[in-house]
Amino acid sequence: MSETWTIKCLINEKPVEREVSVRLTLADFLRHEVGLTGTHLGCEHGVCGACTVLLDGRSARSCLTLAVQVDGMNVTTVEGLGDKTRLSPLQQAFMDEHGLQCGFCTPGMLTTLTELLANNPDPSESEVRLAISGNICRCTGYENIVKATMTAVRYIRDGMPESSEVVD
Amino acid sequence: MPSSWIGMKVKRVEDPALLTGEGQYIDDISRPGMLHAVAVRSPYAHARILGIDKSAALELPGVVAVVTHDDLPEQMKGQSIPMMVPHPVITADKRPQILCRDEVCFVGDLVAMVLAEDRYVAEDAVALVDVDYEELDCASWVKDAAEAGAPSAHADLATNIAANIDLEYGEIDHAFATASHVITEEIFQHRGSAHSMETRGCISEYDDATGQTRIWVTSQSPHQFKGAFADMMDLVDQDVHVIVPPDVGGGFGPKAVMWPEQFVIPACALIAGRPVKWIEDRREHFMCAYQERDQHWSGELALDAQGKILGLRARLIHDTGAYVPWGVVVPWITCTTVPGPYVIPAYEMRCEVVFTNKVPVTPVRGAGRPQAATFMERMLDIGADRVGIGRDEIRRRNFVQPEQMPYEVGLVFRDGKPVVYDSGDYPQCQAMVLEQANFAEFGQRQRQARSEGRYIGIGTASYIEATGLGPFEGVSVHVQRNGKVIVHTGAAPQGQGHQTMLAQVVADSLGCSFKDITVKVSDTTTIQRGVGTFASRITPNAAPSAHLASNTVREKILKIAAHLLETSVEDLEVEDSRVSVKGVPEHGKTFRDIATFAGAMPGFAVPAGLDAVLEDTVYFAPERATYANGAHCVEVEVDAETGHVSIIKYSTAHDCGTIINPLSVNAQVMGGVAHGIGNALFEWMRYDDHAQPVTMNFGEYLLPTAPEVPNVDQSHMQSPTPLNPLGAKGAGEGGTIPAIAAIVSAIESALEPFGVCIRTVPVTPDALLDLIDAGRQNAGRPDV
Amino acid sequence: MKPPPFSYHRPASLDEAFALLGSLENAKVLAGGQSLMPMMNYRYVMPDHVVDLNHCPGLSGVGVEDQTLIIGAMTRQCDLAANDLVARHAPLLVDALHWVGHVQTRNRGTIGGSLSHLDPAAELPAVIAAYDATVTVGNETALRDVSIHEWAAGYMMPAIDENEIAISINIPLSVELDGHAHSFFEIARRHGDFAQAGAGVVLQTVDDRVTDLRIALAGVDIAPVRLRQAEEFAIGKSLTEDVIDEIALFAKAVPGIADVHADESYRQRLAVVVVRRALTQAAGPGP
């Protein structure tokens, strides 16, 4: 492919050491070399936000980052936020408020909002909207994403409710 | 557990995987030895191909093949994608070629596929494929292209007319002769692209052992594609296995229609003898994923002195792009949707479907209806102003009344059936939305705002939507030996939540436990036939199938249970995957017991009259489309210095008959509204005079983002349709249909002091500022 | 949309970076990557070498030396927005950052990157122009300071040689500007989009009279523009509504640029509006 470089990083808390092509984007590295396909590519020019991951806790476009650049960094993808049997409060709130439809933008929304809630545990609705202004969703009209984030604030503060199949 | 799952806000079974990165989309699939395909596309809007030199590309390490027309299997040579929706009005049937041989007809037309070991290398090689083109004159602007003598979009066509759609009923001349007011208007509408967040993609492999071609594709209609592919390649159905990945990242139209790439990729796999993957990138999506585009309207509305409609006459020039891959479905829907929820005694529609050298036009969420609604509602707004009555009032005076149902309009819809509104209460829907929006007190709010130098306005629009188009959508329900229920359907979802919706129906009708149900979608080996997810048709088609199939399986279960419990079917009840004797709950059998018994022991006979397999498949086929309806009301503020519009409040009233999952229906409306906001204010796929696309990224083509989209205040009516046993209508597109009309009307209301009349959508800030300027000058009041 | 092939270089010191840029042909500097990477993904830019400055020490951070606020070129936008020194001495930068891109791009994007990319509609170069800053650039042989007013050599073309690297942005501090009022206002199609027109205002008044005013426009002309005549006109005046209107009208003379979203005249009209609004805000009764 072209020249390579060896990188060491933490991905979802697990150490990873790989030789990567220097032009490989972080998104392609995560998806096709590490097998973490939860990070999605929607535009590959840094506008849609589907590929957002956290680099040392800060959100970043993985389509605009080269894999070689995360050498020494701590990378968090959607897979690192929770799993099916133990959803994070934000993930649970997305489910409870129907904050997703096709799910393609969702990983980027979740990583972006995870950063927001870490920095601002009590955001206003308009702060939430600004935080996700760099994440495009074509399905939901954003309303339920915003609602889910406000609900997640509650879950984080007061604990998560008993799970149920139906919304009251 | 709820007593009925239908109507409950059930959380989606789809979500846990999608929330944790475990969804499986097309690009998440990898096959051993898989090659990556990247397309070579025409850089010209119209050109002749003189030759293709692949040698430099083939020399690049990692490149395996460059597939051009001449390399295609014999069956595909010279072929275009098949016409799935032929229509006698089509006079020039030009469809996208599988690979262009001699002529390219839009920027993005498919010329070759580079196959390489690696996607990056394949992209490098594309630049090395040397295609020798001779540029030809092109048709760029549809209005010009419709003129006689215009440059032709296809070298072998004398004119650019693909079809003429002429529809009429009633005494149109009489209507205009007796009118008190005649409104004459010209309106230009541009409607943008679909832009699902996941682009399109296709993976194919040829299985030597079975002779089967396997194709994974982001299709909204896998079974149709299977049939089309088998027919083209002269194969039997069993030779083709089409799978839609478990997750598809949005569709909104273009994934429903067939495209050359889904034929080329299997051919590439055959040629290379290895699996091949093609993932469209966003640049390609701009360049060649089917779009909706330009419509030029001129119309006349005849009104009596009270503002009652006497007749409507319209001429429409519809840009269909370079081809008609989905026939004339979009313009036909437009032409038959114009009357909307109103009584129009006489109607005449003359539509020219015109080729240009641009991306082909096929349905995008709303499918020609938003344009129809925008035209009709504009005419009514202007008509109301002329007659001197409220814009809400003119609608009230013209609504089809509930007692007129079923109401026959006098047109034939795109399903070949007469347009008949089956149910609904249009005046009531409008009343609901006006109430929610506090329309009555808007005048006060507006006066207050004006006193603060702010320009706010309100607009309302009503609409109908033909949903649930046939012919059918099948569902098979099977209670497995372990008592769990597996449901199969060909209805490929792209985020709508089909699995949850169908599970709700099955849980109710079968009486099983909700969590015991698994719904599998869109694998052509699991159910024989399927049509597809488009035209807001899955709930009204597949839900009744699920209901009817579940009923049959339930009957089978009851019969076996009656046999085992030594009682009669009438004495039994079913709950939570268990059958028991009424009043004696402890005396019962689980579905597992019953399925195990029915499965019997090898060599033993099943008792007479009982079924061994607890399964049924139903392909419910509705008689015709069922009509959903609704009304929107929107309040906006316009910055009169900059032309920027912000939405203050958005209200909807919506009637899709029986609601199966209110969460989903609400969400469909919200998403539809957001799409409509994009169409009204932001989204414009622009081309230059040479038909070169100029908005090729998300910084130039603007999708609405969270700060621009308001919350939507919703209310729902439920007027069940008599056309299916659940009374359900479609809900997927209604949110989009009236949004443009309502927003445009609100902008005009805000700018009423300037006398602004909007005749072009989308409404961009610079254009709006020009209208405000003109208004200031006309009013002779530069200080307004 | 994958980047074309290139060789990757990761200098561990500024000298190493200088040496690389001095010797490599067709090299591009990778800072935050928020402009370079999309252009590479679209293959509008196809460098043979990418020199990654992210591991080069001494290029990021904010400090005050010799009455100058010195901002390392590799300082990320998000860090600028949260920096106390910036908030105290160059608060207009913080105002403007509110309008710059989105959280994900601010987390990676650098101030030097914005300056080097020099998109006509970028907010940060305009702010830097308002503060009469200089940019220190350097190569193997020398460092030099370039006035921000001479920074633009053309459309999206900074006055910097191919072998040079932007090192820092230097904002002169003066007692006279202490506690100045400031405001950035812009009109964009959507939140976070590049400005169709944006105005940054730095304002100092004594006894309600203007003693210093700087107005910089973004997104109107091909590069940031200072409204010198308007600034001079304002000196000694009290900023009444009428005076602000008069000041704003000077913006009309700036030639507008056209793009897919709007033509020249629209931008010229917006320029007046954003100047008026930014100035009104700055002159207003406080934040």
Side-chain angles (χ1 to χ4, degrees):
Chain A
M1 187 160 146
S2 56
E3 66 174 66
T4 60
W5 194 281
T6 300
I7 60 167
K8 286 187 201 174
C9 57
L10 279 182
I11 300 179
N12 299 331
E13 307 300 330
K14 280 194 213 102
V16 172
E17 182 172 347
R18 286 296 162 89
E19 188 176 327
V20 297
S21 158
V22 296
R23 64 162 157 162
L24 186 70
T25 64
L26 174 59
D28 282 335
F29 172 64
L30 292 169
R31 292 179 47 72
H32 301 304
E33 311 228 338
V34 186
L36 295 172
T37 54
T39 298
H40 297 149
L41 283 170
C43 77
E44 295 185 278
H45 56 282
V47 186
C48 83
C51 70
T52 304
V53 298
L54 301 177
L55 301 181
D56 294 336
R58 286 175 166 189
S59 60
R61 316 283 206 205
S62 63
C63 75
L64 300 187
T65 309
L66 297 168
V68 67
Q69 287 184 277
V70 300
D71 196 7
M73 287 184 134
N74 187 347
V75 182
T76 309
T77 69
V78 67
E79 289 92 342
L81 302 181
D83 62 53
K84 274 205 283 199
T85 54
R86 225 184 40 203
L87 296 177
S88 76
L90 184 64
Q91 288 167 322
Q92 185 64 50
F94 263 63
M95 175 143 179
D96 293 351
E97 299 289 4
H98 191 17
L100 65 155
Q101 289 181 33
C102 81
F104 201 78
C105 74
T106 310
M109 291 286 180
L110 291 170
T111 46
T112 302
L113 289 167
T114 296
E115 180 193 32
L116 172 73
L117 296 182
N119 296 335
N120 180 0
D122 192 18
S124 68
E125 240 192 78
S126 64
E127 283 171 329
V128 173
R129 285 186 181 272
L130 285 185
I132 56 168
S133 63
N135 296 72
I136 300 175
C137 171
R138 192 56 152 168
C139 297
T140 64
Y142 305 101
E143 180 170 342
N144 284 353
I145 294 174
V146 177
K147 221 162 130 188
T149 311
M150 304 313 277
T151 298
V153 167
R154 243 184 19 248
Y155 287 178
I156 293 167
R157 195 185 54 215
D158 307 335
M160 291 210 269
E162 290 281 305
S163 77
S164 84
E165 284 158 334
V166 176
V167 176
D168 307 329
Chain B
M1 196 193 80
S3 59
S4 168
W5 289 91
I6 290 183
M8 297 302 293
K9 295 179 182 170
V10 180
K11 296 180 199 172
R12 300 201 317 170
V13 298
E14 290 88 342
D15 288 356
L18 299 178
L19 286 163
T20 51
E22 290 182 35
Q24 219 192 357
Y25 300 85
I26 186 96
D27 192 36
D28 304 342
I29 296 168
S30 184
R31 304 297 298 167
M34 186 172 78
L35 295 171
H36 297 263
V38 175
V40 177
R41 299 185 181 278
S42 171
Y44 295 103
H46 195 193
R48 197 167 281 127
I49 299 174
L50 302 177
I52 301 175
D53 181 357
K54 327 172 179 178
S55 54
L58 288 171
E59 276 169 28
L60 193 70
V63 174
V64 172
V66 178
V67 176
T68 62
H69 172 271
D70 292 348
D71 304 312
L72 288 174
E74 287 308 314
Q75 300 94 320
M76 283 188 181
K77 282 193 177 140
Q79 292 292 318
S80 298
I81 63 160
M83 174 55 87
M84 305 302 287
V85 282
H87 198 287
V89 300
I90 299 172
T91 48
D93 179 8
K94 292 283 186 186
R95 278 167 275 132
Q97 304 152 79
I98 302 297
L99 280 173
C100 295
R101 182 178 55 190
D102 305 316
E103 187 182 353
V104 287
C105 294
F106 68 96
V107 174
D109 221 350
L110 187 60
V111 175
M113 278 287 181
V114 172
L115 310 184
E117 303 285 351
D118 175 277
R119 167 88 196 197
Y120 287 65
V121 172
E123 290 196 17
D124 298 344
V126 164
L128 301 174
V129 177
D130 185 10
V131 184
D132 189 9
Y133 295 101
E134 177 196 342
E135 198 176 354
L136 301 172
D137 282 348
C138 73
S140 184
W141 305 110
V142 66
K143 220 173 159 192
D144 299 339
E147 302 285 336
S152 180
H154 293 269
D156 62 343
L157 290 184
T159 80
N160 290 315
I161 305 300
N164 284 287
I165 299 172
D166 296 324
L167 303 175
E168 59 203 26
Y169 64 79
E171 305 286 325
I172 193 77
D173 291 336
H174 177 72
F176 279 87
T178 55
S180 303
H181 304 277
V182 174
I183 315 300
T184 305
E185 283 296 333
E186 291 205 21
I187 290 166
F188 169 78
Q189 298 191 52
H190 172 86
R191 185 135 194 273
S193 322
H195 284 296
S196 51
M197 294 323 297
E198 182 205 38
T199 53
R200 300 173 298 156
C202 183
I203 302 171
S204 182
E205 65 189 15
Y206 180 74
D207 188 335
D208 271 329
T210 62
Q212 201 179 44
T213 301
R214 198 166 297 123
I215 307 167
W216 290 262
V217 62
T218 55
S219 174
Q220 296 174 228
S221 29
H223 282 82
Q224 286 196 69
F225 169 56
K226 178 185 80 165
F229 185 82
D231 288 350
M232 179 172 293
M233 298 302 286
D234 228 352
L235 299 169
V236 296
D237 274 10
Q238 287 68 23
D239 292 338
V240 184
H241 180 189
V242 176
I243 307 160
V244 176
D247 298 297
V248 173
F252 312 112
K255 290 176 180 172
V257 177
M258 269 165 238
W259 5 284
E261 293 85 353
Q262 66 194 132
F263 292 86
V264 172
I265 294 303
C268 290
L270 197 64
I271 290 164
R274 290 168 65 177
V276 175
K277 175 193 262 191
W278 171 70
I279 301 296
E280 178 187 52
D281 63 33
R282 187 59 61 181
R283 186 166 182 269
E284 287 179 290
H285 195 79
F286 276 104
M287 213 194 264
C288 60
Y290 302 149
Q291 309 164 352
E292 286 196 20
R293 202 174 309 105
D294 299 345
Q295 290 189 344
H296 285 271
W297 292 79
S298 42
E300 289 177 287
L301 179 67
L303 296 171
D304 75 8
Q306 281 72 47
K308 241 178 147 26
I309 300 168
L310 300 173
L312 178 67
R313 227 174 356 215
R315 177 166 183 250
L316 169 60
I317 302 172
H318 169 87
D319 182 352
T320 189
Y323 303 106
V324 285
W326 202 234
V328 290
V329 162
V330 172
W332 196 277
I333 291 177
T334 299
C335 293
T336 50
T337 304
V338 168
Y342 309 108
V343 175
I344 299 183
Y347 182 62
E348 181 186 280
M349 182 80 214
R350 299 279 178 261
C351 170
E352 286 172 293
V353 181
V354 180
F355 288 122
T356 59
N357 292 108
K358 298 182 183 172
V359 176
V361 165
T362 69
V364 171
R365 191 176 205 168
R369 295 175 185 86
Q371 299 93 311
T374 301
F375 170 70
M376 185 68 219
E377 300 289 313
R378 291 277 62 217
M379 296 302 275
L380 283 175
D381 281 347
I382 297 164
D385 298 351
R386 183 78 64 82
V387 176
I389 57 176
R391 289 179 167 192
D392 55 327
E393 179 59 24
I394 196 167
R395 289 167 171 81
R396 267 194 295 280
R397 292 186 187 179
N398 288 288
F399 280 134
V400 173
Q401 298 299 310
E403 55 274 16
Q404 289 175 280
M405 297 291 171
Y407 178 80
E408 191 156 349
V409 174
L411 296 170
V412 172
F413 194 54
R414 90 141 178 102
D415 60 358
K417 299 290 175 60
V419 177
V420 181
Y421 303 160
D422 50 284
S423 51
D425 186 340
Y426 307 158
Q428 179 59 22
C429 248
Q430 190 212 35
M432 281 165 69
V433 85
L434 295 182
E435 166 79 28
Q436 257 167 263
N438 194 3
F439 188 88
E441 286 171 30
F442 176 73
Q444 267 166 270
R445 294 199 289 285
Q446 193 176 42
R447 277 191 295 280
Q448 174 66 31
R450 294 246 172 99
S451 73
E452 296 160 8
R454 294 164 51 231
Y455 294 91
I456 67 168
I458 199 162
T460 184
S462 295
Y463 71 101
I464 50 98
E465 182 197 356
T467 74
L469 277 65
F472 62 84
E473 200 61 68
V475 172
S476 106
V477 176
H478 179 199
V479 178
Q480 302 176 103
R481 279 180 56 90
N482 61 6
K484 307 266 192 214
V485 183
I486 181 101
V487 178
H488 288 291
T489 176
Q494 305 85 40
Q496 299 90 337
H498 293 172
Q499 286 101 316
T500 304
M501 181 274 290
L502 290 174
Q504 287 177 252
V505 174
V506 171
D508 263 13
S509 305
L510 189 59
C512 64
S513 157
F514 183 78
K515 63 179 187 318
D516 283 352
I517 304 170
T518 304
V519 182
K520 292 276 187 193
V521 289
S522 30
D523 179 327
T524 60
T525 57
T526 61
I527 182 161
Q528 285 299 322
R529 302 288 302 276
V531 179
T533 301
F534 53 88
S536 301
R537 62 183 300 280
I538 293 309
T539 302
N541 278 276
S545 293
H547 168 68
L548 296 170
S550 299
N551 283 351
T552 304
V553 176
R554 181 190 173 107
E555 287 307 312
K556 294 181 183 190
I557 288 171
L558 282 171
K559 277 189 192 166
I560 297 168
H563 172 82
L564 291 174
L565 297 168
E566 297 177 336
T567 180
S568 69
V569 165
E570 292 71 37
D571 290 334
L572 295 173
E573 57 189 7
V574 189
E575 200 185 330
D576 211 9
S577 297
R578 192 167 176 279
V579 185
S580 60
V581 177
K582 282 179 189 162
V584 198
E586 65 279 10
H587 192 40
K589 293 282 178 191
T590 64
F591 277 19
R592 185 186 185 122
D593 299 335
I594 294 164
T596 307
F597 173 80
M601 287 184 285
F604 284 68
V606 177
L610 301 185
D611 278 297
V613 181
L614 306 180
E615 181 180 47
D616 192 42
T617 302
V618 171
Y619 295 93
F620 175 74
E623 183 188 324
R624 53 186 156 80
T626 171
Y627 280 78
N629 77 93
H632 289 198
C633 190
V634 56
E635 207 166 313
V636 304
E637 177 164 353
V638 182
D639 182 337
E641 286 189 326
T642 67
H644 277 250
V645 175
S646 39
I647 296 172
I648 303 169
K649 182 173 163 68
Y650 205 111
S651 311
T652 64
H654 179 255
D655 184 349
C656 62
T658 306
I659 292 176
I660 293 176
N661 189 333
L663 286 179
S664 295
V665 170
N666 267 316
Q668 286 296 322
V669 173
M670 290 171 200
V673 166
H675 200 137
I677 290 170
N679 291 153
L681 300 174
F682 296 107
E683 298 181 41
W684 200 323
M685 183 67 205
R686 293 185 190 260
Y687 289 81
D688 69 11
D689 291 340
H690 303 285
Q692 284 284 338
V694 295
T695 45
M696 288 289 287
N697 62 58
F698 281 148
E700 293 164 343
Y701 185 92
L702 307 178
L703 293 171
T705 60
E708 289 81 41
V709 180
N711 289 343
V712 179
D713 186 11
Q714 301 194 38
S715 62
H716 296 274
M717 278 192 81
Q718 297 195 49
S719 311
T721 176
L723 294 170
N724 70 58
L726 294 175
K729 305 175 184 179
E733 298 168 274
T736 307
I737 295 168
I740 302 167
I743 292 167
V744 166
S745 184
I747 295 171
E748 278 188 3
S749 153
L751 298 175
E752 184 267 324
F754 306 102
V756 163
C757 182
I758 294 167
R759 298 181 176 88
T760 299
V761 287
V763 184
T764 57
D766 54 329
L768 195 53
L769 201 55
D770 287 343
L771 291 176
I772 294 169
D773 275 352
R776 285 184 211 265
Q777 273 156 22
N778 284 344
R781 292 171 58 196
D783 58 326
V784 178
Chain C
M1 287 173 59
K2 309 298 181 189
F6 54 80
S7 287
Y8 175 77
H9 307 270
R10 184 190 284 176
S13 70
L14 204 45
D15 285 342
E16 201 186 319
F18 287 148
L20 283 166
L21 285 174
S23 61
L24 300 171
E25 291 286 316
N26 188 24
K28 276 278 175 194
V29 165
L30 174 61
Q34 303 303 291
S35 305
L36 178 62
M37 286 298 299
M39 297 209 296
M40 283 171 58
N41 288 358
Y42 266 102
R43 300 197 180 207
Y44 295 151
V45 174
M46 297 183 62
D48 292 317
H49 301 274
V50 167
V51 179
D52 181 356
L53 295 186
N54 285 277
H55 296 257
C56 200
L59 284 175
S60 64
V62 181
V64 174
E65 269 175 52
D66 299 335
Q67 276 298 294
T68 307
L69 181 72
I70 298 172
I71 302 172
M74 283 293 291
T75 310
R76 300 200 194 271
Q77 293 164 0
C78 62
D79 293 329
L80 283 177
N83 185 282
D84 289 341
L85 288 173
V86 172
R88 198 160 107 218
H89 297 295
L92 184 63
L93 209 42
V94 181
D95 297 344
L97 280 161
H98 170 76
W99 301 90
V100 175
H102 308 282
V103 58
Q104 301 96 335
T105 59
R106 290 192 299 271
N107 279 344
R108 297 295 297 166
T110 65
I111 187 167
S114 302
L115 272 178
S116 304
H117 183 59
L118 206 58
D119 191 292
E123 294 84 357
L124 298 186
V127 173
I128 293 163
Y131 282 121
D132 289 330
T134 60
V135 186
T136 303
V137 301
N139 60 18
E140 266 179 305
T141 52
L143 299 181
R144 64 185 178 109
D145 284 351
V146 185
S147 159
I148 186 66
H149 306 303
E150 280 145 28
W151 180 252
Y155 175 71
M156 295 185 78
M157 222 167 48
I160 179 168
D161 287 338
E162 277 184 7
N163 65 357
E164 283 181 318
I165 298 171
I167 312 285
S168 67
I169 289 85
N170 320 301
I171 296 178
L173 307 181
S174 68
V175 183
E176 288 74 29
L177 267 189
D178 259 1
H180 64 263
H182 49 90
S183 173
F184 198 97
F185 185 85
E186 79 173 40
I187 305 283
R189 291 297 306 274
R190 301 169 304 176
H191 182 87
D193 282 344
F194 276 124
Q196 289 190 296
V201 167
V202 167
L203 170 68
Q204 188 65 295
T205 52
V206 173
D207 297 334
D208 199 34
R209 302 276 158 184
V210 175
T211 56
D212 197 340
L213 174 65
R214 292 100 181 271
I215 304 170
L217 285 172
V220 183
D221 201 352
I222 57 164
V225 179
R226 277 279 294 273
L227 291 185
R228 301 279 185 197
Q229 283 180 307
E231 295 170 4
E232 280 162 29
F233 169 84
I235 297 297
K237 294 198 169 63
S238 178
L239 290 179
T240 61
E241 220 179 298
D242 289 344
V243 170
I244 289 176
D245 279 347
E246 279 185 82
I247 293 170
L249 276 178
F250 281 94
K252 227 176 183 169
V254 178
I257 50 170
D259 70 1
V260 67
H261 298 304
D263 64 9
E264 297 86 345
S265 66
Y266 180 70
R267 282 200 160 70
Q268 288 177 306
R269 298 190 52 175
L270 284 196
V272 175
V273 175
V274 293
V275 169
R276 173 153 38 77
R277 292 185 186 178
L279 196 51
T280 304
Q281 213 164 20

